[in-house]
Amino acid sequence: MFRIGIAEDDPSFQKTISEYIERYKKETNIDIQASFFQDGNELVFKYEPIYDVLLLDIEMPKMNGIDAAREIRKRDQRVLIIFITNMAQYAINGYEVGALDFVLKPIKYFSFSMKLEKALKSVKGQESVNILLEYKDGMKKVSSDEIVYVEIRDHWLHIFTVDEEYQLLFTLKEFAAKLADYHFICCSSSFCINMKYVTDFQKDIITLNDKTELKVSRSKKKEVKQALLDYYKGGLR
């Protein structure tokens, strides 16, 4: 599922964008969840780094789209930003916040759908994927690139990132499926690792860069070794 945040103060444009997103969902069969904000100030105040794409009107009261994007970038470097504007020259300022593109008003469906498709393809094509973790104390969007390893223990799935540990009521198999295309491999029925963080593999012990040592099951040993060799192109022996 893709999550899109829209900051637009004009109710008529909110309605149009909502209708366009619903139409796009039906045409592509892509699951999209859209959240609307009345202006940049509301978006910044309520912002959580859970969105894949933001659509920001440049001209809004209280806080315009450019200023909102500057604040968002302090908390979220990965979210893709598309500006909505009456005048194309205003969108030039978007380069300073790493905006992907802009949409001109009045918004036409064909143009909007092309911009949305571009954004969603960009999200899919990233080396990492953003995953929304709904854990005991709340929720947080985490990049797969930040996850060192995951382990099932006492019926809880433990997610170890470079900074924190999260506990989810989730199966290892289901979570591993989300990460399969992003350099993760399961080394036993208990844990899966991000190959990016492997520093050593001796006998049946995988060592990660934080000195964590994990035992690879006998049935997985050959598969894990080959996966690491492929990942590092022969650089790990």
Side-chain angles (χ1 to χ4, degrees):
M1 180 175 67
F2 294 97
R3 289 178 169 80
I4 300 178
I6 303 106
E8 169 60 67
D9 64 308
D10 188 324
S12 65
F13 280 115
Q14 284 189 15
K15 184 174 183 294
T16 297
I17 292 171
S18 180
E19 290 173 351
Y20 284 176
I21 289 175
E22 287 302 314
R23 179 176 169 182
Y24 185 83
K25 286 167 62 175
K26 290 178 182 177
E27 290 178 353
T28 61
N29 200 33
I30 293 175
D31 189 9
I32 299 173
Q33 179 180 307
S35 301
F36 284 87
F37 302 87
Q38 297 303 313
D39 55 46
N41 193 55
E42 182 185 10
L43 172 66
V44 169
F45 180 74
K46 296 181 178 180
Y47 190 78
E48 292 182 278
I50 61 173
Y51 299 101
D52 299 297
V53 181
L54 293 179
L55 299 174
L56 308 179
D57 191 347
I58 287 183
E59 300 174 86
M60 292 185 290
K62 297 182 180 178
M63 181 181 289
N64 63 51
I66 296 291
D67 289 340
R70 289 193 187 106
E71 292 300 314
I72 295 300
R73 279 289 179 242
K74 295 176 183 177
R75 299 180 235 171
D76 192 343
Q77 288 294 318
R78 292 183 175 274
V79 67
L80 298 178
I81 296 174
I82 297 176
F83 285 114
I84 304 168
T85 180
N86 287 307
M87 302 179 71
Q89 60 263 37
Y90 288 166
I92 294 174
N93 295 327
Y95 288 113
E96 67 178 272
V97 291
L100 176 72
D101 212 331
F102 65 91
V103 178
L104 280 174
K105 292 181 178 180
I107 302 173
K108 303 297 183 182
Y109 176 72
F110 179 76
S111 175
F112 177 83
S113 65
M114 290 298 99
K115 306 288 187 182
L116 191 55
E117 184 173 350
K118 176 183 176 181
L120 299 187
K121 281 183 177 179
S122 183
V123 171
K124 287 181 180 178
Q126 292 174 349
E127 282 293 312
S128 59
V129 65
N130 292 320
I131 299 173
L132 184 65
L133 302 181
E134 298 183 56
Y135 55 98
K136 282 183 177 180
D137 302 318
M139 63 174 64
K140 184 176 181 179
K141 185 175 74 174
V142 173
S143 167
S144 61
D145 208 37
E146 300 171 4
I147 298 174
V148 180
Y149 73 102
V150 296
E151 180 180 14
I152 195 78
R153 194 194 316 144
D154 301 324
H155 305 294
W156 285 90
L157 186 65
H158 296 254
I159 314 295
F160 296 90
T161 72
V162 291
D163 297 315
E164 296 183 61
E165 176 186 349
Y166 303 92
Q167 293 182 43
L168 289 70
L169 281 172
F170 216 83
T171 69
L172 182 64
K173 184 178 180 180
E174 289 175 316
F175 200 79
K178 294 176 178 288
L179 302 172
D181 295 329
Y182 301 97
H183 317 306
F184 279 77
I185 186 167
C186 291
C187 303
S188 74
S189 59
S190 301
F191 71 92
C192 303
I193 59 165
N194 185 340
M195 290 186 281
K196 170 183 175 180
Y197 295 100
V198 174
T199 58
D200 195 23
F201 183 21
Q202 296 290 334
K203 296 183 179 178
D204 58 356
I205 301 297
I206 284 276
T207 304
L208 305 177
N209 67 346
D210 62 355
K211 307 302 181 184
T212 297
E213 293 185 345
L214 300 166
K215 187 173 182 178
V216 180
S217 68
R218 182 178 298 178
S219 62
K220 287 281 189 177
K221 188 175 178 180
K222 185 177 180 180
E223 179 187 347
V224 171
K225 182 179 179 180
Q226 187 60 54
L228 287 167
L229 288 170
D230 292 341
Y231 179 67
Y232 288 105
K233 294 182 172 60
L236 193 87
R237 293 289 187 267

